[in-house]
Short mmCIF file of all heavy atoms in Angstrom, two decimals:
data_model
loop_
_atom_site.label_atom_id
_atom_site.label_comp_id
_atom_site.label_asym_id
_atom_site.label_seq_id
_atom_site.Cartn_x
_atom_site.Cartn_y
_atom_site.Cartn_z
N LYS A 171 107.71 48.06 94.59
CA LYS A 171 107.36 46.78 93.98
C LYS A 171 108.45 46.38 92.85
O LYS A 171 108.35 45.40 92.16
CB LYS A 171 106.04 46.78 93.25
CG LYS A 171 104.90 46.77 94.20
CD LYS A 171 103.51 46.86 93.44
CE LYS A 171 102.36 46.79 94.39
NZ LYS A 171 101.01 46.79 93.65
N GLY A 172 109.47 47.31 92.76
CA GLY A 172 110.54 47.12 91.77
C GLY A 172 110.16 47.48 90.46
O GLY A 172 110.73 47.02 89.43
N GLU A 173 109.14 48.37 90.31
CA GLU A 173 108.63 48.75 89.00
C GLU A 173 109.10 50.18 88.62
O GLU A 173 109.58 50.89 89.51
CB GLU A 173 107.11 48.69 89.00
CG GLU A 173 106.52 47.30 89.23
CD GLU A 173 105.02 47.33 89.44
OE1 GLU A 173 104.45 48.39 89.48
OE2 GLU A 173 104.43 46.22 89.53
N THR A 174 108.94 50.63 87.45
CA THR A 174 109.31 51.95 87.00
C THR A 174 108.02 52.87 86.98
O THR A 174 107.02 52.48 86.23
CB THR A 174 109.92 51.92 85.58
OG1 THR A 174 111.12 51.17 85.57
CG2 THR A 174 110.35 53.36 85.18
N PRO A 175 107.97 53.87 87.74
CA PRO A 175 106.83 54.69 87.85
C PRO A 175 106.58 55.42 86.53
O PRO A 175 107.52 55.76 85.75
CB PRO A 175 107.12 55.65 88.98
CG PRO A 175 108.33 55.05 89.64
CD PRO A 175 109.06 54.32 88.71
N GLN A 176 105.35 55.75 86.34
CA GLN A 176 104.94 56.67 85.12
C GLN A 176 105.09 58.16 85.55
O GLN A 176 104.75 58.50 86.62
CB GLN A 176 103.56 56.25 84.75
CG GLN A 176 103.30 54.90 84.21
CD GLN A 176 101.94 54.59 83.90
OE1 GLN A 176 100.97 55.18 84.34
NE2 GLN A 176 101.65 53.59 82.97
N THR A 177 105.65 58.88 84.69
CA THR A 177 105.77 60.30 84.87
C THR A 177 105.17 61.15 83.86
O THR A 177 104.76 60.55 82.80
CB THR A 177 107.36 60.63 85.04
OG1 THR A 177 107.95 60.30 83.87
CG2 THR A 177 107.98 59.93 86.18
N THR A 178 105.09 62.43 83.96
CA THR A 178 104.37 63.32 83.09
C THR A 178 105.34 64.38 82.47
O THR A 178 104.88 65.24 81.61
CB THR A 178 103.27 64.03 83.75
OG1 THR A 178 103.74 64.92 84.78
CG2 THR A 178 102.12 63.08 84.22
N GLY A 179 106.63 64.29 82.87
CA GLY A 179 107.48 65.36 82.43
C GLY A 179 108.78 65.37 83.19
O GLY A 179 109.11 64.35 83.91
N THR A 180 109.48 66.46 83.06
CA THR A 180 110.77 66.65 83.90
C THR A 180 110.83 68.10 84.37
O THR A 180 110.12 68.91 83.84
CB THR A 180 112.04 66.30 83.06
OG1 THR A 180 112.15 67.24 82.07
CG2 THR A 180 112.01 65.00 82.61
N VAL A 181 111.59 68.22 85.51
CA VAL A 181 111.90 69.56 85.96
C VAL A 181 113.38 69.56 86.03
O VAL A 181 114.06 68.64 86.20
CB VAL A 181 111.33 69.90 87.36
CG1 VAL A 181 109.78 69.98 87.29
CG2 VAL A 181 111.76 68.92 88.45
N GLN A 182 113.94 70.84 85.95
CA GLN A 182 115.42 71.01 86.09
C GLN A 182 115.87 71.47 87.45
O GLN A 182 115.36 72.26 88.05
CB GLN A 182 115.84 72.16 85.03
CG GLN A 182 117.27 72.48 85.14
CD GLN A 182 117.96 72.70 83.90
OE1 GLN A 182 117.29 72.88 82.83
NE2 GLN A 182 119.21 72.75 83.84
N ASP A 183 116.76 70.62 87.94
CA ASP A 183 117.58 70.95 89.06
C ASP A 183 118.70 71.91 88.61
O ASP A 183 119.64 71.43 88.10
CB ASP A 183 118.08 69.71 89.75
CG ASP A 183 118.94 70.02 91.04
OD1 ASP A 183 119.30 71.19 91.22
OD2 ASP A 183 119.22 69.08 91.76
N THR A 184 118.46 73.18 88.78
CA THR A 184 119.43 74.22 88.31
C THR A 184 120.72 74.17 88.97
O THR A 184 121.75 74.45 88.42
CB THR A 184 118.86 75.57 88.32
OG1 THR A 184 118.47 75.84 89.72
CG2 THR A 184 117.67 75.69 87.47
N GLN A 185 120.76 73.63 90.18
CA GLN A 185 122.07 73.60 91.00
C GLN A 185 122.87 72.43 90.52
O GLN A 185 124.07 72.48 90.41
CB GLN A 185 121.79 73.56 92.42
CG GLN A 185 123.00 73.68 93.30
CD GLN A 185 122.65 73.90 94.81
OE1 GLN A 185 121.73 74.67 95.13
NE2 GLN A 185 123.32 73.14 95.75
N ALA A 186 122.21 71.26 90.33
CA ALA A 186 122.92 70.03 90.01
C ALA A 186 122.99 69.92 88.45
O ALA A 186 123.66 69.03 87.92
CB ALA A 186 122.23 68.77 90.50
N ASN A 187 122.31 70.78 87.68
CA ASN A 187 122.30 70.85 86.23
C ASN A 187 121.89 69.46 85.61
O ASN A 187 122.50 68.76 84.91
CB ASN A 187 123.64 71.19 85.66
CG ASN A 187 123.62 71.53 84.20
OD1 ASN A 187 122.53 71.87 83.68
ND2 ASN A 187 124.72 71.22 83.44
N ARG A 188 120.74 69.06 86.12
CA ARG A 188 120.13 67.69 85.72
C ARG A 188 118.66 67.78 85.65
O ARG A 188 118.04 68.62 86.28
CB ARG A 188 120.59 66.55 86.59
CG ARG A 188 119.93 66.54 87.96
CD ARG A 188 120.57 65.44 88.83
NE ARG A 188 119.69 65.41 90.14
CZ ARG A 188 118.78 64.51 90.30
NH1 ARG A 188 118.31 63.72 89.41
NH2 ARG A 188 118.06 64.51 91.48
N GLU A 189 118.08 66.89 84.87
CA GLU A 189 116.61 66.80 84.76
C GLU A 189 116.11 65.65 85.75
O GLU A 189 116.68 64.68 85.94
CB GLU A 189 116.19 66.37 83.33
CG GLU A 189 116.67 67.40 82.28
CD GLU A 189 116.05 68.80 82.47
OE1 GLU A 189 114.91 68.87 82.90
OE2 GLU A 189 116.73 69.86 82.14
N VAL A 190 115.02 65.98 86.36
CA VAL A 190 114.42 65.10 87.39
C VAL A 190 113.14 64.68 86.87
O VAL A 190 112.24 65.56 86.52
CB VAL A 190 114.24 65.83 88.83
CG1 VAL A 190 113.80 64.73 89.79
CG2 VAL A 190 115.58 66.38 89.28
N ALA A 191 112.88 63.33 86.70
CA ALA A 191 111.56 62.83 86.28
C ALA A 191 110.49 63.35 87.24
O ALA A 191 110.61 63.28 88.46
CB ALA A 191 111.58 61.34 86.25
N ALA A 192 109.32 63.82 86.70
CA ALA A 192 108.37 64.56 87.50
C ALA A 192 106.91 64.17 87.24
O ALA A 192 106.60 63.79 86.12
CB ALA A 192 108.54 65.94 87.55
N ILE A 193 106.15 64.29 88.23
CA ILE A 193 104.67 64.37 88.09
C ILE A 193 104.25 65.67 88.64
O ILE A 193 104.40 65.86 89.84
CB ILE A 193 103.95 63.21 88.78
CG1 ILE A 193 104.38 61.88 88.21
CG2 ILE A 193 102.45 63.30 88.68
CD1 ILE A 193 105.50 61.26 88.97
N LEU A 194 103.62 66.57 87.91
CA LEU A 194 103.21 67.84 88.30
C LEU A 194 101.72 67.97 88.17
O LEU A 194 101.16 67.92 87.05
CB LEU A 194 103.97 69.00 87.69
CG LEU A 194 105.40 69.02 87.67
CD1 LEU A 194 105.93 70.28 86.98
CD2 LEU A 194 105.85 69.06 89.15
N GLU A 195 101.00 68.16 89.31
CA GLU A 195 99.52 68.36 89.27
C GLU A 195 99.20 69.86 89.01
O GLU A 195 100.05 70.76 89.09
CB GLU A 195 98.91 67.95 90.56
CG GLU A 195 99.18 66.49 90.93
CD GLU A 195 98.49 65.50 89.98
OE1 GLU A 195 97.50 65.93 89.29
OE2 GLU A 195 98.94 64.33 89.90
N THR A 196 97.99 70.12 88.64
CA THR A 196 97.53 71.45 88.25
C THR A 196 96.78 72.20 89.44
O THR A 196 95.84 71.60 90.00
CB THR A 196 96.56 71.43 87.02
OG1 THR A 196 97.21 70.74 85.96
CG2 THR A 196 96.09 72.76 86.61
N PRO A 197 97.24 73.37 89.84
CA PRO A 197 96.63 74.06 90.91
C PRO A 197 95.31 74.81 90.39
O PRO A 197 95.22 75.05 89.19
CB PRO A 197 97.65 75.07 91.31
CG PRO A 197 98.43 75.39 90.16
CD PRO A 197 98.48 74.07 89.30
N GLU A 198 94.60 75.34 91.30
CA GLU A 198 93.29 76.02 90.90
C GLU A 198 93.17 77.32 91.81
O GLU A 198 93.40 77.31 93.07
CB GLU A 198 92.08 75.15 91.26
CG GLU A 198 90.76 75.83 90.93
CD GLU A 198 89.55 75.00 91.33
OE1 GLU A 198 89.75 73.88 91.85
OE2 GLU A 198 88.42 75.48 91.05
N ALA A 199 92.85 78.39 91.22
CA ALA A 199 92.61 79.75 91.94
C ALA A 199 91.33 79.65 92.54
O ALA A 199 90.30 79.18 91.90
CB ALA A 199 92.69 80.86 90.93
N ILE A 200 91.17 80.07 93.83
CA ILE A 200 89.98 80.02 94.54
C ILE A 200 89.62 81.49 94.97
O ILE A 200 90.38 82.13 95.69
CB ILE A 200 90.05 79.21 95.80
CG1 ILE A 200 90.38 77.66 95.39
CG2 ILE A 200 88.76 79.20 96.62
CD1 ILE A 200 89.21 76.95 94.55
N TYR A 201 88.46 81.92 94.65
CA TYR A 201 87.85 83.22 95.05
C TYR A 201 86.60 82.86 95.80
O TYR A 201 86.24 81.65 95.94
CB TYR A 201 87.47 84.09 93.83
CG TYR A 201 88.73 84.34 92.90
CD1 TYR A 201 89.12 83.43 91.97
CD2 TYR A 201 89.54 85.46 93.16
CE1 TYR A 201 90.17 83.76 91.15
CE2 TYR A 201 90.63 85.76 92.34
CZ TYR A 201 91.01 84.92 91.47
OH TYR A 201 92.08 85.11 90.54
N LYS A 202 85.90 83.88 96.33
CA LYS A 202 84.74 83.69 97.12
C LYS A 202 83.71 82.85 96.37
O LYS A 202 83.07 81.92 96.95
CB LYS A 202 84.12 84.98 97.55
CG LYS A 202 82.91 84.88 98.48
CD LYS A 202 82.54 86.32 98.96
CE LYS A 202 81.31 86.27 99.92
NZ LYS A 202 80.81 87.48 100.39
N GLU A 203 83.52 83.11 95.11
CA GLU A 203 82.49 82.48 94.24
C GLU A 203 82.72 80.97 94.10
O GLU A 203 81.79 80.23 93.76
CB GLU A 203 82.23 83.26 92.95
CG GLU A 203 83.52 83.26 92.04
CD GLU A 203 84.36 84.56 92.21
OE1 GLU A 203 84.30 85.17 93.29
OE2 GLU A 203 85.03 84.95 91.29
N ASN A 204 83.94 80.55 94.19
CA ASN A 204 84.18 79.13 93.96
C ASN A 204 84.90 78.37 95.10
O ASN A 204 85.46 77.36 95.05
CB ASN A 204 84.95 78.80 92.70
CG ASN A 204 86.39 79.31 92.74
OD1 ASN A 204 86.70 80.30 93.45
ND2 ASN A 204 87.28 78.67 92.05
N VAL A 205 84.70 78.96 96.29
CA VAL A 205 85.15 78.28 97.56
C VAL A 205 84.54 76.89 97.66
O VAL A 205 85.26 75.97 98.14
CB VAL A 205 84.80 79.05 98.79
CG1 VAL A 205 84.96 78.27 100.08
CG2 VAL A 205 85.75 80.38 98.88
N LYS A 206 83.36 76.68 97.17
CA LYS A 206 82.61 75.40 97.23
C LYS A 206 83.51 74.35 96.56
O LYS A 206 83.42 73.13 96.90
CB LYS A 206 81.33 75.50 96.53
CG LYS A 206 80.42 74.25 96.68
CD LYS A 206 79.09 74.44 96.03
CE LYS A 206 78.27 73.24 96.17
NZ LYS A 206 76.87 73.44 95.60
N ASP A 207 84.35 74.72 95.52
CA ASP A 207 85.18 73.70 94.83
C ASP A 207 86.12 72.91 95.74
O ASP A 207 86.28 71.73 95.62
CB ASP A 207 86.13 74.38 93.82
CG ASP A 207 85.29 74.78 92.55
OD1 ASP A 207 84.06 74.59 92.51
OD2 ASP A 207 85.91 75.46 91.72
N VAL A 208 86.52 73.66 96.80
CA VAL A 208 87.51 72.93 97.69
C VAL A 208 86.71 71.95 98.51
O VAL A 208 87.27 70.85 98.88
CB VAL A 208 88.16 74.05 98.67
CG1 VAL A 208 89.07 73.43 99.66
CG2 VAL A 208 88.87 75.14 97.89
N VAL A 209 85.57 72.32 98.97
CA VAL A 209 84.70 71.36 99.74
C VAL A 209 84.29 70.18 98.87
O VAL A 209 84.40 69.03 99.32
CB VAL A 209 83.43 72.11 100.26
CG1 VAL A 209 82.54 71.05 101.13
CG2 VAL A 209 83.86 73.28 101.16
N THR A 210 83.97 70.39 97.74
CA THR A 210 83.47 69.39 96.70
C THR A 210 84.66 68.37 96.55
O THR A 210 84.48 67.16 96.44
CB THR A 210 83.01 69.94 95.43
OG1 THR A 210 81.97 70.84 95.69
CG2 THR A 210 82.63 68.78 94.49
N ALA A 211 85.93 68.83 96.39
CA ALA A 211 87.00 68.01 96.14
C ALA A 211 87.59 67.37 97.42
O ALA A 211 88.48 66.60 97.37
CB ALA A 211 88.24 68.92 95.57
N GLY A 212 87.09 67.69 98.64
CA GLY A 212 87.38 67.06 99.86
C GLY A 212 88.60 67.78 100.60
O GLY A 212 89.22 67.18 101.44
N GLY A 213 88.90 68.97 100.07
CA GLY A 213 89.99 69.74 100.75
C GLY A 213 89.67 70.16 102.14
O GLY A 213 90.54 70.36 103.00
N THR A 214 88.34 70.36 102.45
CA THR A 214 87.91 70.51 103.74
C THR A 214 86.42 70.06 103.76
O THR A 214 85.84 69.62 102.72
CB THR A 214 88.03 72.08 104.20
OG1 THR A 214 87.60 72.17 105.54
CG2 THR A 214 87.10 72.90 103.33
N THR A 215 85.78 70.18 104.87
CA THR A 215 84.39 69.89 104.93
C THR A 215 83.52 71.10 105.25
O THR A 215 84.03 72.17 105.81
CB THR A 215 84.08 68.85 106.00
OG1 THR A 215 84.41 69.44 107.32
CG2 THR A 215 84.88 67.61 105.80
N ALA A 216 82.18 71.13 104.93
CA ALA A 216 81.34 72.21 105.28
C ALA A 216 81.34 72.48 106.80
O ALA A 216 81.24 73.58 107.25
CB ALA A 216 79.99 71.94 104.73
N ALA A 217 81.36 71.30 107.58
CA ALA A 217 81.30 71.46 109.03
C ALA A 217 82.51 72.18 109.59
O ALA A 217 82.38 72.95 110.56
CB ALA A 217 81.29 70.03 109.60
#
């Protein structure tokens, strides 16, 4: 749309020695007791 996206930070491209505008989401550790979290979030279905 010709707009400037919103970002949450930067990461470093160590090879090009430059900062890249970034959006980084947060991962979650899953063990047997919270496998349900993946289903609840739509990562898979119970079926």
Side-chain angles (χ1 to χ4, degrees):
K171 291 180 176 180
E173 300 170 354
T174 300
Q176 296 177 333
T177 59
T178 60
T180 63
V181 295
Q182 174 142 11
D183 178 346
T184 54
Q185 188 169 315
N187 193 28
R188 72 184 186 97
E189 301 296 327
V190 185
I193 298 94
L194 300 184
E195 300 294 339
T196 303
E198 178 186 3
I200 299 295
Y201 302 87
K202 185 175 180 178
E203 59 266 26
N204 67 330
V205 164
K206 185 177 181 179
D207 287 359
V208 181
V209 178
T210 301
T214 187
T215 64

